[in-house]
Amino acid sequence: MSNVYVSDFVYALGSRKTHVTESEAAGRLLSSAEDLESAGFAWHHLCEPGESAYGLAEAVTAQLAESGRLTGIDAIVYATCLPLNGNIGDPGEFARTRDVKHLMDFPASRLQADFGLTDAVVLGLNQQACTAMPGSVRLAGALLAAEPSWRKVLCVTADRFPDGAIYEQAYNLISDGGAACLVGREPEGFRLVSAHQITNGALGQATDDETVGSYFSFTHRLFRESLDRAGLTVADVDWVVTQNTNDKAWQILARLLGVPLDRVWFPSMPDAGHIISADNIVNLAQLIASGQLRPGQRVVLMMAGFGLNWQSLILEAV
Amino acid sequence: MGILITGADGYLGRRAVSALLETTGDEFVLAVRAADAAELAAKRDRLDAELGAAGHGRVTVVGADLTRDDALADVDPRRVTAIVHAAAVTRFSVDRETAQRVNVDGTVRLARFARRCPDLRRFTLLSTLYTAGRHTGDVPERRHEDAGFVNFYEWSKWRAEQHLFDSGLPLSVLRLPTVIAEDDGGTVVQYNAFHNTLKLFYYGLLSLMPGEPSTPLALGTAAFTSAAVAHLVRPEVPAGIYHVTPDPAQTLTLGQLIDLTFDVYERDDNFRRRNLMRPIYCDRQSFDDMVDIARRLKGGPIEQAVASVAPFGTQLYLHKTFRNEALRAAWPGYAAPDPLALADAVCDHLVASRWGRQPVTRQLEGAL
Ligand SMILES: NC(=O)c1ccc[n+]([C@@H]2O[C@H](COP(=O)([O-])OP(=O)(O)OC[C@H]3O[C@@H](n4cnc5c(N)ncnc54)[C@H](OP(=O)(O)O)[C@@H]3O)[C@@H](O)[C@H]2O)c1
């Protein structure tokens, strides 16, 4: 029984909302808009040229500050999918000066300073791709277990694709976005029941088709192993909060795993597509907002990402 | 007097011709589809080269596109004593119109020609075990009722059978299994849905398996099927319906095949390094959904490969036990390949040759 709790789920999306057909016309996609729409995608959110990944991290942290929740933070786990979003320095400056400090301007340190979180230490997590958010919650839980005097960890994730990038990965329509939550000892939000991760480094450079190809078997395994580790069965699961991917994929997995499809939750998909590592938080926040969640219900969060990594969290509503 | 063989330059047609050249003293008229004189000449040269000395003076190659009414105008019916009909469109993904035009109407045309052959002793149709369509359970060597079909290939082969059953011709129907290799050595020359499915697993492009592990799979080799053809066309063998397939007890199940396949794959360093998982058996709806997803992955290898597997996937849910008592009675010395050893050898060959894209090294060839 862990006594770690996860709460305060907030998120921010790139400020330009655009339809998949517009992105097709702008050359931002590999698949046709029609194929992506048939997979359940419709809209996505892009950062404007001046908007940065750090700006998204700032926006989500500001939401926590405004609600008065950003107090007593002992650590910040700052996760990015793309390693380049883990530096806010200007690589051009490095090229000009040959000084590597321009490659080590860390957004986690900036966030600490900007929000006056002077008692917080910072940790960066940038090799777990889209699974970095569950990874950071897991890490936060482990930190609290290792540091008896710590009370609260801020988990932040923020990514934007570089200008000119294709906004499609492994046949998923991408949104720039950030998300945050708090991991602490006070019983609020959800109790962290367990966390699980599988990494298959040999598929680190998997093609899109290999990523899709291995998706079912590894996601299936992740789910089963997650339940086994927590001593639960599928009957103990009330909700599965997934990443935003081809909507047929979870129709298949729900059948294979014996989870009723109406308990598989990814409502943000048509509006936002795959929000890099923020999908779980966005969907979980929307589950809470829907009013359907009851105390004691168990939620399994599932993510797959490059590396290849698969991560899950099991949470129990307080 | 001679034997007319349609589809004589096809995969099994060529092998049947070679086998018959060895086992009979007959002359042969080899009918091949050819759009024009140049294609006919090219096909003739290829067949001459392949048949070598055995064919000299005994084979005549003629152009005969069975979709045309004048298809067999160049063949003298008085000289034909037996017909082996091997021509067909054999893709599981064939559309209905093409299947009708070639496999059904082509057979009707050939039957019309056959009726004009005064000395015809035997008309042998190379058919498929899957003319049973959606039938399940024991499948006897009998005429099948229409139980529905999972693709237009099997539907059209069934329609061709039906037409011939009603034709009054001295008919034998040889229902063949899925041919997966040249012979027991496991070398693959003709790639079909069987090999394409295994390829998807090797390359980590599919992790769902349509079908049920207990579904029996009737698999054969070209050597076995052409030996069967050579034996069963003999005039002394009674005409009839024959399931050219191993005994039911000697038939692999889908689960055994997949386990064995991964055992072979896991002997390969390249495969092992990628830590791929064995596939998950899925229900029909899930496989259909997967096919639907794959259709949208345009340009990628999944789309192409799944397209070849999809039209057959449904059969992997339909348990059939193909009876072969008639075959055993008509061919007492018959020896079907050992299914486990064959599947092992085939998987080995597929991995070593990377599905035909690289030569199998000598050392491996020895091992096969
Ligand atoms: N191989 C198997 O696993 C298997 C299993 C069960 C049953 N069978 C049956 O066995 C027979 C032979 O199969 P296979 O594997 O040898 O097939 P194949 O290699 O595809 O050969 C089919 C032959 O039919 C010819 N053909 C196609 N359309 C024609 C037309 N309109 N007119 C005349 N000829 C035409 C093809 O010529 P082009 O190549 O020039 O088109 C080719 O020579 C088929 O009837 C098939 O249904 C095969």
Side-chain angles (χ1 to χ4, degrees):
Chain A
M1 274 288 216
S2 114
N3 55 356
V4 168
Y5 297 85
V6 193
S7 65
D8 299 85
F9 305 96
V10 291
Y11 60 90
L13 300 170
S15 59
R16 182 146 61 101
K17 183 172 177 176
T18 176
H19 194 259
V20 65
T21 47
E22 242 177 282
S23 282
E24 179 185 40
R28 281 191 286 267
L29 306 177
L30 296 171
S31 300
S32 69
E34 189 202 343
D35 285 340
L36 288 170
E37 283 185 291
S38 81
F41 296 105
W43 297 89
H44 63 149
H45 297 251
L46 283 65
C47 282
E48 294 288 4
E51 280 179 310
S52 65
Y54 180 71
L56 294 165
E58 222 179 357
V60 290
T61 310
Q63 290 179 46
L64 295 175
E66 276 158 27
S67 59
R69 301 286 298 157
L70 208 60
T71 54
I73 304 291
D74 295 295
I76 302 168
V77 179
Y78 192 111
T80 69
C81 169
L82 295 177
L84 64 81
N85 286 327
N87 175 40
I88 49 180
D90 179 2
E93 276 299 291
F94 163 70
R96 203 176 56 75
T97 62
R98 295 161 53 216
D99 184 344
V100 295
K101 78 165 179 280
H102 300 291
L103 305 178
M104 294 188 292
D105 191 348
F106 298 125
S109 297
R110 170 79 71 88
L111 197 77
Q112 188 234 29
D114 284 353
F115 285 87
L117 304 173
T118 42
D119 292 335
V121 298
V122 301
L123 294 92
L125 199 61
N126 65 7
Q127 294 187 33
Q128 300 196 334
C130 299
T131 70
M133 194 64 198
S136 61
V137 171
R138 181 181 199 181
L139 184 57
L143 288 170
L144 290 172
E147 299 287 346
S149 65
W150 288 11
R151 308 293 307 165
K152 217 192 266 182
V153 178
L154 165 64
C155 293
V156 181
T157 183
D159 278 285
R160 70 155 292 178
F161 275 14
D163 287 333
I166 300 284
Y167 269 74
E168 182 184 336
Q169 276 293 311
Y171 303 101
N172 293 311
L173 180 69
I174 303 292
S175 274
D176 296 322
C181 64
L182 297 174
V183 181
R185 298 194 192 281
E186 295 302 319
E188 50 192 359
F190 295 85
R191 189 171 68 82
L192 175 60
V193 177
S194 66
H196 186 42
Q197 176 175 2
I198 300 168
T199 300
N200 185 354
L203 295 181
Q205 279 300 299
T207 62
D208 286 352
D209 280 36
E210 286 167 334
T211 305
V212 174
S214 57
Y215 181 74
F216 293 98
S217 52
F218 278 92
T219 305
H220 187 271
R221 176 178 149 199
L222 178 76
F223 187 84
R224 313 259 13 151
E225 289 182 357
S226 303
L227 293 186
D228 287 350
R229 281 165 65 96
L232 300 173
T233 69
V234 70
D236 300 316
V237 174
D238 298 288
W239 300 96
V240 181
V241 170
T242 72
Q243 75 194 81
N244 293 337
T245 191
N246 192 311
D247 54 13
K248 283 231 160 54
W250 266 95
Q251 290 175 23
I252 295 172
L253 281 163
R255 260 182 243 120
L256 296 179
L257 293 166
V259 178
L261 193 56
D262 62 355
R263 290 299 166 127
V264 178
W265 187 263
F266 53 105
S268 64
M269 164 116 166
D271 182 68
H274 175 36
I275 319 157
I276 315 181
S277 45
D279 283 5
N280 276 168
I281 300 281
V282 175
N283 286 330
L284 189 59
Q286 295 190 6
L287 176 60
I288 296 165
S290 76
Q292 296 186 62
L293 191 71
R294 300 279 169 270
Q297 287 194 331
R298 292 195 193 88
V299 184
V300 183
L301 273 55
M302 304 273 294
M303 286 298 286
F306 268 83
L308 291 181
N309 286 292
W310 294 265
Q311 295 210 56
S312 67
L313 298 174
I314 300 183
L315 306 178
E316 190 177 273
V318 174
Chain B
M1 288 302 172
I3 303 178
L4 167 67
I5 303 186
T6 68
D9 63 334
Y11 179 64
L12 294 179
R14 271 177 292 151
R15 284 153 184 79
V17 172
S18 296
L20 287 165
L21 277 169
E22 261 181 48
T23 55
T24 71
D26 290 317
E27 290 184 5
F28 293 84
V29 178
L30 307 185
V32 298
R33 187 206 52 77
D36 51 34
E39 192 179 5
L40 177 60
K43 285 190 165 193
R44 185 177 282 136
D45 289 348
R46 215 176 311 135
L47 274 169
D48 282 347
E50 274 179 27
L51 300 175
H56 286 167
R58 286 176 66 196
V59 306
T60 311
V61 179
V62 298
D65 182 337
L66 291 174
T67 61
R68 296 168 55 117
D69 279 332
D70 61 353
L72 293 151
D74 294 342
V75 184
D76 179 355
R78 287 166 308 177
R79 299 194 55 79
V80 175
T81 54
I83 295 175
V84 177
H85 181 28
V89 174
T90 54
R91 294 184 309 275
F92 292 153
S93 58
V94 64
D95 62 275
R96 184 189 173 106
E97 198 265 323
T98 309
Q100 171 76 39
R101 203 157 39 86
V102 181
N103 296 358
V104 183
D105 298 343
T107 301
V108 171
R109 256 181 216 110
L110 186 64
R112 209 176 294 143
F113 171 84
R115 269 188 238 103
R116 290 173 35 227
C117 301
D119 295 317
L120 187 76
R121 292 193 308 254
R122 182 67 51 82
F123 185 114
T124 302
L125 170 70
L126 299 198
S127 191
T128 162
L129 291 171
Y130 290 96
T131 52
R134 291 178 184 268
H135 279 286
T136 54
D138 267 1
V139 180
E141 289 158 296
R142 282 208 302 261
R143 188 171 174 163
H144 296 313
E145 296 298 316
D146 178 357
F149 300 90
V150 313
N151 56 49
F152 292 117
Y153 168 69
E154 53 188 53
W155 164 80
S156 63
K157 296 293 287 187
W158 174 81
R159 295 258 325 227
E161 281 189 7
Q162 297 300 310
H163 179 79
L164 293 175
F165 288 136
D166 294 333
S167 68
L169 290 166
L171 178 68
S172 271
V173 174
L174 313 192
R175 294 190 182 134
L176 309 184
T178 306
V179 173
I180 62 168
E182 287 293 283
D183 52 33
D184 296 1
T187 302
V188 180
V189 171
Q190 188 193 52
Y191 289 83
N192 56 36
F194 173 89
H195 311 98
N196 291 340
T197 310
L198 299 190
K199 183 177 182 177
L200 283 171
F201 292 136
Y202 181 83
Y203 288 103
L205 297 172
L206 183 67
S207 51
L208 295 180
M209 180 74 223
E212 284 158 15
S214 55
T215 304
L217 290 181
L219 305 173
T221 63
F224 171 64
T225 46
S226 46
V229 174
H231 180 82
L232 297 169
V233 299
R234 288 183 187 179
E236 66 272 20
V237 174
I241 300 174
Y242 297 104
H243 286 174
V244 180
T245 185
D247 296 351
Q250 279 282 84
T251 301
L252 223 55
T253 64
L254 179 61
Q256 285 174 310
L257 172 72
I258 294 299
D259 285 347
L260 183 144
T261 300
F262 276 80
D263 289 347
V264 174
Y265 287 0
E266 282 157 13
R267 299 202 292 257
D268 176 63
D269 287 344
N270 252 307
F271 182 83
R272 232 184 8 255
R273 187 183 139 69
R274 285 177 296 140
N275 296 316
L276 294 170
M277 292 179 60
R278 293 185 179 211
I280 303 165
Y281 292 91
C282 67
D283 55 281
R284 270 193 237 187
Q285 179 61 53
S286 294
F287 187 69
D288 288 348
D289 285 344
M290 176 65 221
V291 170
D292 204 59
I293 291 175
R295 269 200 200 109
R296 300 286 176 175
L297 308 184
K298 299 242 170 77
I302 292 186
E303 184 212 358
Q304 273 180 2
V306 169
S308 115
V309 175
F312 190 71
T314 303
Q315 282 294 4
L316 302 175
Y317 297 95
L318 303 172
H319 289 224
K320 290 181 183 54
T321 303
F322 295 106
R323 310 301 318 183
N324 68 352
E325 285 81 1
L327 175 82
R328 287 192 346 237
W331 191 16
Y334 106 104
D338 171 55
L340 280 170
L342 173 63
D344 194 291
V346 169
C347 291
D348 234 351
H349 177 86
L350 293 173
V351 171
S353 72
R354 295 290 186 269
W355 277 258
R357 278 178 292 110
Q358 71 184 31
V360 177
T361 64
R362 244 198 217 116
Q363 194 188 355
L364 280 164
E365 220 153 25
L368 293 174

